[in-house]
Amino acid sequence: MFATILFGFAFTSGSLRDIESACKYDTRFITLMRGKRPHFTVIGDFINDYIVPYAEEIFGAITRQLVTVLELDLEDVFIDGTKIEADANKYKFVWKPTTFHTRLCDKIRTLLSLHGLQSGIPTEGIFSSIIIAKKLSEFSKLTHGIDGSENKTLLKQYKQLEDYLEKALEYEEMEMICGPDRNSYYKTDHDATAMTLKTDYYAGLGSNMHAAYNAQIAVSKGIVCAYHVSQKRNDITELIPTMEQFYRIHQKYPKNLCADAGYGSLQNYRYLAEHNIKNYVKHQSWEGNVSGKNPTQYRLNDDNTITCLNGKTGYLTELEDRHPKKAESVFYKVTGCKNCQYHKYCKRWQKRKSDNFKIFEVNTELRKYIQEAENNLLSVKGIEIRVNRSCQAEGSYGVLKQDMRYIRFRRISLPKVTAEYMLTFLGYNIRKLFRFFNGGLKTTYWQAPKDLQPESFKKPSAKRLSNKAEKKKKKSANQQAKSSYKYKKKKKG
């Protein structure tokens, strides 16, 4: 049965009914099942009972054997992620009611304070429904023996407190389902989160929300070596879990890791340094530096100084009237800004533009990691890795979504969705293994020519940056004027 299911995910859509149909009419499936024709419910029960609980172990055992057969070294690994829609009604979503819960608790405090029952309740924030139930019990003593005609207000307030308790229980259930790390869920799939899919984002429909999961893969030589499915809306936290699963499966870390700018963070850079993985992970400033349209305003030097765009040196300084926004940051001061050609760009968000100096708040550890990643990415090996990331990681999702038409999960709940995602890419790997046996698989991708030279960032144009800063300033002023006009008009109305 397992071989049939895996073969179904490799050479059909992977749906239960397609596998059921193939077991009736496809000689390959009939041979695997030895003439038996299982119903689609039997196939689904087998997946839920035997594959879902052991998804990672199954994927690891087969992938390790596949890596051995294909003789892959797994030195260069590429991580990428996507959002895949869940099998849920997109209109039945629930937002985490933190704001409403806080307001409800404020109302309860006000009501209880009218009768001197506010002792034992926190002065601010959300408190438990258990406390509300105890206070309701104390409140009931005040209403004991009172006729409805004697004190209607007191009885009305007691009924109101009962309604508040019921609402608090409802909010607590919503918050429990959401958990601490997300702000929404769907009624038909509690594990799915409201997300904007890439198709909507690139179509300019960024406000469209769908029930979806965040799915990650780690690819090497075109083979998916690890996977990860989560409820997070951002990729930045998903690098470490994916790499940890890679280690659990293969008992080693890759030599080089490449990922796009969605994974560039101090925590991820620290992780790579701690595990001796060479850093080819882009940062959010990468594209601006490559194009020269939005370059970084300074570079950190080895002697613990900085150099600005105009070549001026900045030194560590302490300010009496200002503290760093983050505890790990320090201040650097660059002087001689009045006649600088980058003056308008560098000080476009600064209020006092007439100052002959510029203060930079710098996280030196993060800046060192970023510049290390940039140097690696601009090297010959970095160029080769960047090209291969586009071919392998992006290519895997291209095959998944365009060739296999896999744009939506078929199962509900995170464990079942994770197992389905695992089976989909395990089938993807098996299909490549069959191509290898037929002599049609290439595990060697693009290699940099010997005469290829390292790249460097373009020198930014001071004139273009100044014009860009002026346009942004005018646009910001126009937006403020429009919002002020709308506010005044609304106030008059």
Side-chain angles (χ1 to χ4, degrees):
M1 178 68 81
F2 174 72
T4 303
I5 291 171
L6 188 56
F7 199 81
F9 274 87
F11 295 100
T12 71
S13 67
S15 71
L16 300 181
R17 291 185 183 274
D18 281 354
I19 296 174
E20 179 194 32
S21 178
C23 290
K24 294 178 182 178
Y25 307 111
D26 194 318
T27 55
R28 299 173 299 176
F29 286 83
I30 293 171
T31 304
L32 285 171
M33 289 301 300
R34 298 176 183 176
K36 294 181 180 179
R37 299 177 177 180
H39 194 259
F40 73 90
T41 56
V42 176
I43 300 171
D45 290 340
F46 184 89
I47 291 174
N48 293 336
D49 295 340
Y50 298 103
I51 296 180
V52 172
Y54 309 104
E56 186 176 314
E57 290 83 352
I58 292 169
F59 182 86
I62 296 175
T63 304
R64 283 194 298 271
Q65 188 63 30
L66 190 145
V67 168
T68 303
V69 171
L70 298 179
E71 298 180 352
L72 305 180
D73 54 25
L74 303 183
E75 286 191 354
D76 300 338
V77 170
F78 313 95
I79 286 184
D80 197 17
T82 189
K83 309 291 192 303
I84 300 179
E85 191 170 2
D87 185 19
N89 188 320
K90 64 181 180 180
Y91 299 109
K92 295 182 178 179
F93 61 87
V94 178
W95 292 107
K96 194 173 186 178
T98 306
T99 303
F100 295 107
H101 201 171
T102 304
R103 291 176 184 172
L104 178 68
C105 290
D106 292 338
K107 290 179 181 179
I108 295 171
R109 286 190 194 91
T110 304
L111 178 60
L112 293 176
S113 63
L114 295 175
H115 304 281
L117 299 175
Q118 70 273 20
S119 62
I121 296 179
T123 55
E124 58 182 15
I126 297 171
F127 51 88
S128 172
S129 59
I130 298 173
I131 297 175
I132 303 172
K134 289 179 181 178
K135 293 300 177 182
L136 185 65
S137 179
E138 294 178 19
F139 203 110
S140 65
K141 295 177 183 178
L142 299 177
T143 60
H144 185 68
I146 294 178
D147 188 24
S149 59
E150 292 183 9
N151 198 335
K152 291 183 179 180
T153 304
L154 192 63
L155 292 173
K156 185 178 179 181
Q157 289 175 345
Y158 178 77
K159 179 64 173 64
Q160 194 175 26
L161 189 60
E162 282 185 330
D163 294 340
Y164 286 160
L165 176 59
E166 186 178 346
K167 203 66 180 176
L169 289 168
E170 181 184 335
Y171 287 158
E172 284 181 355
E173 183 183 6
M174 293 178 184
E175 289 165 353
M176 182 186 68
I177 295 172
C178 280
D181 299 326
R182 60 180 185 148
N183 294 319
S184 63
Y185 69 91
Y186 278 72
K187 290 182 179 180
T188 48
D189 185 356
H190 287 178
D191 290 345
T193 308
M195 301 182 189
T196 299
L197 303 181
K198 286 189 175 182
T199 51
D200 289 333
Y201 175 78
Y202 289 115
L205 303 173
S207 60
N208 281 13
M209 290 293 180
H210 298 263
Y213 291 91
N214 189 343
Q216 306 284 324
I217 53 171
V219 187
S220 181
K221 303 295 184 182
I223 301 298
V224 177
C225 305
Y227 66 93
H228 179 65
V229 180
S230 77
Q231 301 166 314
K232 304 290 181 64
R233 298 171 65 182
N234 201 322
D235 289 339
I236 205 164
T237 59
E238 303 310 293
L239 184 144
I240 294 176
T242 308
M243 277 292 94
E244 284 301 302
Q245 194 203 53
F246 182 94
Y247 180 79
R248 289 195 300 271
I249 291 174
H250 304 284
Q251 294 301 305
K252 66 176 183 178
Y253 291 103
K255 184 178 179 181
N256 307 307
L257 181 69
C258 184
D260 61 25
Y263 300 87
S265 71
L266 178 58
Q267 185 180 9
N268 291 340
Y269 289 144
R270 281 176 178 167
Y271 178 85
L272 298 180
E274 288 169 2
H275 295 89
N276 297 318
I277 304 172
K278 198 164 184 180
N279 179 8
Y280 291 91
V281 179
K282 297 176 183 177
H283 192 259
Q284 284 81 357
S285 60
W286 168 260
E287 192 60 38
N289 284 326
V290 170
S291 63
K293 295 179 180 179
N294 191 25
T296 306
Q297 297 175 19
Y298 61 88
R299 300 280 296 177
L300 187 66
N301 303 321
D302 295 335
D303 59 353
N304 207 23
T305 61
I306 63 170
T307 302
C308 72
L309 284 173
N310 200 33
K312 299 282 186 180
T313 303
Y315 300 93
L316 276 168
T317 186
E318 293 184 4
L319 304 177
E320 296 180 357
D321 58 340
R322 182 175 165 187
H323 298 281
K325 293 180 180 178
K326 294 184 179 179
E328 300 171 337
S329 299
V330 292
F331 290 120
Y332 281 85
K333 185 176 182 180
V334 177
T335 57
C337 299
K338 280 189 176 179
N339 298 321
C340 177
Q341 58 180 337
Y342 300 102
H343 177 84
K344 290 182 179 179
Y345 171 74
C346 193
K347 294 192 175 185
R348 61 193 185 280
W349 306 120
Q350 192 170 323
K351 291 181 179 179
R352 297 188 302 179
K353 296 180 174 56
S354 59
D355 292 340
N356 194 30
F357 62 88
K358 168 77 176 181
I359 302 295
F360 293 99
E361 185 175 331
V362 183
N363 185 326
T364 53
E365 183 185 8
L366 176 60
R367 181 49 53 183
K368 286 177 182 177
Y369 286 134
I370 291 172
Q371 291 181 187
E372 176 191 0
E374 289 176 344
N375 292 334
N376 292 339
L377 289 163
L378 292 171
S379 66
V380 174
K381 177 66 175 178
I383 297 170
E384 180 181 297
I385 280 185
R386 277 187 281 146
V387 172
N388 284 318
R389 192 196 75 83
S390 300
C391 298
Q392 298 182 42
E394 301 284 358
S396 298
Y397 280 124
V399 172
L400 182 75
K401 293 184 177 182
Q402 298 297 321
D403 298 348
M404 299 171 65
R405 302 292 179 187
Y406 189 81
I407 57 174
R408 185 184 178 114
F409 286 119
R410 304 185 183 96
R411 287 161 180 79
I412 292 174
S413 79
L414 184 60
K416 293 180 180 179
V417 163
T418 303
E420 180 185 329
Y421 190 68
M422 179 276 293
L423 284 170
T424 302
F425 273 111
L426 195 55
Y428 173 87
N429 289 344
I430 294 297
R431 192 161 61 249
K432 289 211 167 192
L433 182 64
F434 273 75
R435 285 176 58 195
F436 172 76
F437 290 145
N438 293 330
L441 179 67
K442 294 182 180 180
T443 56
T444 56
Y445 285 79
W446 185 80
Q447 294 180 347
K450 294 182 179 179
D451 59 344
L452 184 66
Q453 297 299 315
E455 292 182 337
S456 60
F457 290 139
K458 293 181 181 179
K459 187 176 181 180
S461 169
K463 185 177 179 180
R464 185 171 65 177
L465 292 177
S466 298
N467 293 336
K468 186 178 179 181
E470 288 293 333
K471 287 180 181 178
K472 282 191 174 182
K473 184 180 177 182
K474 289 180 181 179
K475 186 178 180 181
S476 178
N478 290 336
Q479 288 176 346
Q480 289 179 1
K482 285 181 181 179
S483 60
S484 177
Y485 172 75
K486 288 179 181 179
Y487 173 76
K488 289 177 181 178
K489 190 176 179 181
K490 186 178 179 181
K491 195 172 181 182
K492 285 180 181 180

